Amino acid sequence: MKEYHSKGTICTTGPFGIECAICTIEYIEREDDTFCYIFTPNYSVMDLLGYEYFDGIPGLDLDLRKERYIRENFVPSFISERVPQKNRVDYIKLLKKAGLEMMEPIEYLIRVGARYFGDEYYVARYREKEIISFSEIGKKKNLQGTIKEALERLYHGDDIYFEDLLINDLNREYGVKILSSLLNKYKEVFMRNQLLGVEEGKKKGSYKGRKPLEVDIEAYFSALEEVKEKKITPKEAAEKVGISIDKYYRLKKKYGE
């Protein structure tokens, strides 16, 4: 029997504005019109997040700590709360806006970045888990950038080698605590130096206050088009324009699509 299969990653924004991959979601549709959704929680990442960032996934009893949650011929609440139903007046319009000829739930969520008003979860394109060394991350970045990317990787479920030490699912919390402490210290020193610079500038009469961050709107819309064409993700678009992912969505809301 032929099957249609799609896969994505349920994410939320965690500490330092980092994208956290909390669960894999799969959709299988068969030629006899039966279907199923499969949720595979990433417990090692979930356990890193406090209630301010993560409060469970709608419709799943995560206390059971199942390896997989399967919903056979049943649309789970996580999907029904985010994907438009066929009886919506603007259903066809929404499909076309997402560049789809027919509803493919996971692909739809990936393309539109739909979020439910009751939580901060969204679906990103799935990628396989990676194992990378800390030194490899640091080849093209400064210290702060290296620490931040290492944290991003750990919050996404990747494993990192620190010389002979491997940070993986078994000790992920240990690695995150160390890197978070280093990043906070780095920011503390940066802020202290910045304040010293401001005070020095005031004494010399050269300090005129902080200028608002300027955004290259043309570059933003260019990146937005690439997101629509599925060439890059919203996160990659934000990095390309030099803004945070939250700023990206604020601009999207302000200027529309």
Side-chain angles (χ1 to χ4, degrees), residues 216-226 241 251 255-257:
D216 187 335
I217 297 300
E218 186 176 337
Y220 166 75
F221 280 113
S222 175
L224 188 61
E225 283 302 314
E226 291 188 71
V241 183
L251 288 173
Y255 294 110
E257 299 181 20

Side-chain angles (χ1 to χ4, degrees), residues 3-10 23-30 35-41 60 67-72 74-76 78-79 104-107 109-110 123-124 126 128:
E3 294 182 342
Y4 166 80
H5 186 273
S6 62
K7 196 172 187 179
T9 302
I10 300 175
C23 186
T24 298
I25 180 170
E26 300 173 70
Y27 174 67
I28 300 172
E29 185 175 306
R30 311 177 186 94
F35 63 92
C36 78
Y37 289 89
I38 302 172
F39 295 82
T40 305
L60 304 185
E67 182 179 345
R68 299 195 305 169
Y69 293 77
I70 300 174
R71 299 294 182 263
E72 192 75 37
F74 172 75
V75 179
F78 181 87
I79 296 295
E104 301 170 5
I106 308 301
E107 184 63 26
L109 291 176
I110 291 171
V123 178
Y126 175 80
E128 293 288 342

Side-chain angles (χ1 to χ4, degrees), residues 161-177:
Y161 270 109
F162 291 84
E163 296 187 354
D164 295 330
L165 174 64
L166 176 65
I167 301 298
N168 56 20
D169 290 349
L170 298 176
N171 58 358
R172 191 171 304 279
E173 184 177 5
Y174 171 76
V176 166
K177 281 184 177 179

Side-chain angles (χ1 to χ4, degrees), residues 4 84 90-105 107-113 125 224-225 227-230 257:
Y4 166 80
D90 57 350
Y91 182 76
I92 301 299
K93 182 179 178 180
L94 291 173
L95 276 182
K96 289 182 177 179
K97 192 174 181 180
L100 296 172
E101 294 183 1
M102 58 182 293
M103 179 54 73
E104 301 170 5
E107 184 63 26
Y108 176 84
L109 291 176
I110 291 171
R111 293 191 184 192
V112 304
R125 199 162 296 284
L224 188 61
E225 283 302 314
V227 173
K228 292 179 182 178
E229 294 169 6
K230 298 192 299 179
E257 299 181 20

Side-chain angles (χ1 to χ4, degrees), residues 7 9 125-131 153 156-158:
K7 196 172 187 179
T9 302
R125 199 162 296 284
Y126 175 80
R127 72 166 176 79
E128 293 288 342
K129 178 177 181 175
E130 296 180 5
I131 302 177
R153 293 236 178 208
H156 203 281
D158 293 336

